[in-house]
Amino acid sequence: SPGTEWVSAAERPGGSLLTRQLQELWRRSRGTLAPQRLLFEVTSASVVSERSSKYVLYTIYLIRSGQFDKAPATIARRYSDFEQLNRRLRCRFSCDMASVAFPRKRLRRNFTAETIAKRSRAFEQFLSHLHSIDEIRRSPEFLEFFFLPDLQAAQRLTCTGMYREALATWANAYRLQDRLGVCSSGRFLLTLAGLAVCHQELDQLSEAHGCCEQALQLLEAQGSHPLLGPFLQAHVHLAWKVGKDKRRSEARLQDLREAGLPLQQQPSLKECLIKEPLD
């Protein structure tokens, strides 16, 4: 059944984003000016006990309306995460937020099945309502609630050499940004750099090459960007390894040299990832 396939795809370790999928996602994200309707579905909620505290962790799928996503974009958040988002948005968008309902904190019975079920529906409605408001949907507060924790975790895993785990986390961050329609931001380029580095470290060179190609398409119109040199150099190296055409990237590197960019001192993609402050 589709449900089973969906879950198994989500749980597949390292769920490798193939070049084909990357290119398809890229084509889709380019042509969509109007935001697609997103559905937010709490698929599970589990009670977590940690030393002296206890909380409920809600797992939420971001689903494109009318489409079947084989690999879902997922987040896991607790009440305090939603509360912080609500507080930040009310500070900045007090008028827009006046009509948005948020489930109140309870003094007791927080862990009953009934409370958890009610909260789950309330969080789905809360996120749907926020996503329907233009200003809020595009705000960093709203967007980073979804993908910043994954980017931070993926960066930590990459820095410590846990490339398979990092790859799965970068891939989920990629899907989250794709669903939210922010496939041209600096964070998205960093996500492509993370995917390229992990694919390369795991000897998945075609996939790494595909990530560099997508990043260079995004950087097409930019004369200078901190990641342009590193992506071009990685692309030339990978194209040579997988037997693909590298002349265009070599020509662009030559242009950068002639414009006075000291390419010898350029950091690698991996160094860019490690140095990027993600807060």
Side-chain angles (χ1 to χ4, degrees):
S1 76
T4 332
E5 190 182 346
W6 208 28
V7 172
S8 63
E11 288 170 351
R12 206 168 293 141
S16 161
L17 265 174
L18 299 172
T19 313
R20 208 169 45 247
Q21 291 172 298
L22 280 167
Q23 285 166 344
E24 187 201 334
L25 281 171
W26 163 238
R27 270 199 305 277
R28 279 210 306 263
S29 69
R30 266 167 109 183
T32 54
L33 291 173
Q36 288 185 303
R37 184 152 175 258
L38 263 191
L39 304 174
F40 301 90
E41 187 185 322
V42 175
T43 56
S44 67
S46 50
V47 178
V48 179
S49 296
E50 267 180 5
R51 298 198 253 338
S52 56
S53 71
K54 192 170 154 184
Y55 59 88
V56 181
L57 195 65
Y58 298 87
T59 298
I60 298 150
Y61 280 15
L62 278 69
I63 306 158
R64 281 196 192 92
S65 179
Q67 286 190 29
F68 169 67
D69 284 325
K70 198 164 183 177
T74 69
I75 59 169
R77 300 287 181 271
R78 50 197 284 188
Y79 182 90
S80 57
D81 297 322
F82 284 102
E83 197 174 36
Q84 185 188 30
L85 173 66
N86 182 49
R87 202 166 48 242
R88 290 178 73 194
L89 290 174
R90 282 184 200 279
C91 278
R92 190 168 159 207
F93 303 102
S94 51
C95 292
D96 283 324
M97 290 295 291
S99 62
V100 179
F102 186 77
R104 283 203 306 271
K105 193 117 184 149
R106 296 173 65 115
L107 290 173
R108 51 201 179 82
R109 295 177 60 77
N110 279 302
F111 302 103
T112 66
E114 186 191 5
T115 301
I116 291 171
K118 276 186 182 164
R119 282 242 174 108
S120 298
R121 299 297 79 79
F123 287 144
E124 289 174 349
Q125 286 159 5
F126 173 66
L127 293 175
S128 292
H129 197 160
L130 295 178
H131 188 258
S132 71
I133 302 167
D134 279 0
E135 287 269 319
I136 291 176
R137 182 175 58 244
R138 291 195 288 261
S139 71
E141 290 88 346
F142 179 72
L143 292 168
E144 294 192 343
F145 166 79
F146 291 95
F147 56 78
L148 189 59
D150 266 12
L151 293 182
Q152 290 167 330
Q155 186 185 46
R156 277 195 305 275
L157 289 163
T158 307
C159 290
T160 52
M162 297 177 74
Y163 299 114
R164 199 162 293 286
E165 295 84 348
L167 180 62
T169 314
W170 287 118
N172 191 56
Y174 180 106
R175 290 191 292 269
L176 287 166
Q177 290 169 89
D178 173 56
R179 304 296 187 275
L180 292 160
V182 283
C183 288
S184 56
S185 69
R187 300 286 206 209
F188 190 67
L189 282 168
L190 195 73
T191 306
L192 286 171
L195 285 166
V197 165
C198 292
H199 277 309
Q200 187 169 357
E201 292 288 350
L202 293 166
D203 222 22
Q204 297 163 356
L205 303 184
S206 291
E207 286 87 342
H209 176 262
C211 295
C212 291
E213 294 242 291
Q214 190 183 359
L216 291 174
Q217 282 181 312
L218 282 170
L219 290 164
E220 188 75 54
Q222 307 224 21
S224 69
H225 185 283
L227 286 171
L228 179 58
F231 265 122
L232 284 169
Q233 288 180 318
H235 185 253
V236 166
H237 172 73
L238 287 160
W240 175 74
K241 286 251 185 186
V242 296
K244 292 278 170 76
D245 190 358
K246 58 187 179 10
R247 285 168 299 183
R248 185 169 164 69
S249 288
E250 284 174 331
R252 286 179 80 185
L253 277 171
Q254 189 55 35
D255 291 345
L256 291 180
R257 267 189 212 98
E258 285 165 11
L261 190 74
L263 289 172
Q264 294 77 10
Q265 291 146 38
Q266 282 281 290
S268 67
L269 272 186
K270 195 172 179 180
E271 286 164 345
C272 291
L273 272 187
I274 290 165
K275 288 176 187 163
E276 181 66 25
L278 281 172
D279 42 28

